[in-house]
Amino acid sequence: MKQNIKQLQTVVGLAERELEEAGQVLSAIQVQIEQTEFQINSLQQYLQEISNTPTTIDNAVTFQAFHFKNKQTFINKIQEALLQEKNRAGQLSEALEQAQKTWLEKRARLKGLKKVLQTRRQQQEKQHQRQEQRMLDDLTHRRNPIN
């Protein structure tokens, strides 16, 4: 029984480490999502600022076709980066769901293992108490034989 409890303690320790690692993965993904959301917001604000800039340079000289084309190309590149960040956010959301699922599974497993360990310890304690009681009964019987 003691060997069984030691093995269970080892398994519980491993399960605790797995849960901790799953929590770290979950936290890392959450940080990446926050960073990606920040990047998306920054790109959207920058795109809005660029789109709203006047089409004049130096207070009166109008944009020539060349400058307008460069501006439009630049806006397209920002929109492309924004789309990439939104795709990344979607992928991270999926990864977050999977990490949450994994964490919950590992937590449930750990709880189950701890419950089994607690039950085994209680069983061992009851067995130990019964053995002590038998020994006391035997000693009492030896000292006071019933004849």
Side-chain angles (χ1 to χ4, degrees):
M1 182 81 85
K2 285 184 181 183
Q3 183 64 23
N4 192 359
I5 288 176
K6 283 186 177 186
Q7 289 172 343
L8 271 173
Q9 287 173 328
T10 301
V11 172
V12 167
L14 292 172
E16 286 173 338
R17 279 187 233 123
E18 287 177 0
L19 180 63
E20 184 178 319
E21 289 171 5
Q24 290 172 349
V25 168
L26 186 62
S27 294
I29 292 172
Q30 288 171 331
V31 166
Q32 289 177 352
I33 286 175
E34 289 173 7
Q35 290 171 342
T36 301
E37 288 173 351
F38 178 79
Q39 186 68 18
I40 288 171
N41 289 335
S42 296
L43 286 170
Q44 286 174 333
Q45 287 176 346
Y46 190 58
L47 182 61
Q48 188 174 13
E49 289 173 11
I50 295 288
S51 298
N52 292 336
T53 57
T55 55
T56 59
I57 297 179
D58 294 330
N59 295 332
V61 180
T62 58
F63 257 141
Q64 295 173 357
F66 175 76
H67 293 297
F68 184 76
K69 184 178 178 183
N70 283 343
K71 179 180 177 182
Q72 193 58 45
T73 302
F74 186 62
I75 288 173
N76 289 342
K77 291 201 183 269
I78 294 172
Q79 289 172 333
E80 184 179 318
L82 187 57
L83 181 61
Q84 288 175 352
E85 287 299 312
K86 286 182 179 180
N87 288 337
R88 177 174 158 76
Q91 292 169 348
L92 287 171
S93 291
E94 290 174 13
L96 180 65
E97 285 181 33
Q98 183 60 42
Q100 287 171 331
K101 181 181 173 185
T102 300
W103 184 84
L104 289 171
E105 289 170 355
K106 293 196 181 292
R107 185 179 72 167
R109 179 175 182 262
L110 178 60
K111 282 184 175 183
L113 287 169
K114 283 183 174 182
K115 182 69 177 168
V116 168
L117 180 59
Q118 178 186 8
T119 302
R120 296 283 165 84
R121 283 179 173 158
Q122 289 171 346
Q123 289 172 346
Q124 182 183 13
E125 181 61 29
K126 285 180 184 178
Q127 183 180 11
H128 181 72
Q129 288 173 356
R130 278 187 237 132
Q131 286 175 342
E132 283 181 349
Q133 187 62 45
R134 276 189 223 124
M135 288 174 57
L136 288 173
D137 289 347
D138 285 346
L139 282 174
T140 304
H141 183 66
R142 287 182 196 168
R143 286 188 180 171
N144 301 321
I146 303 175
N147 285 336

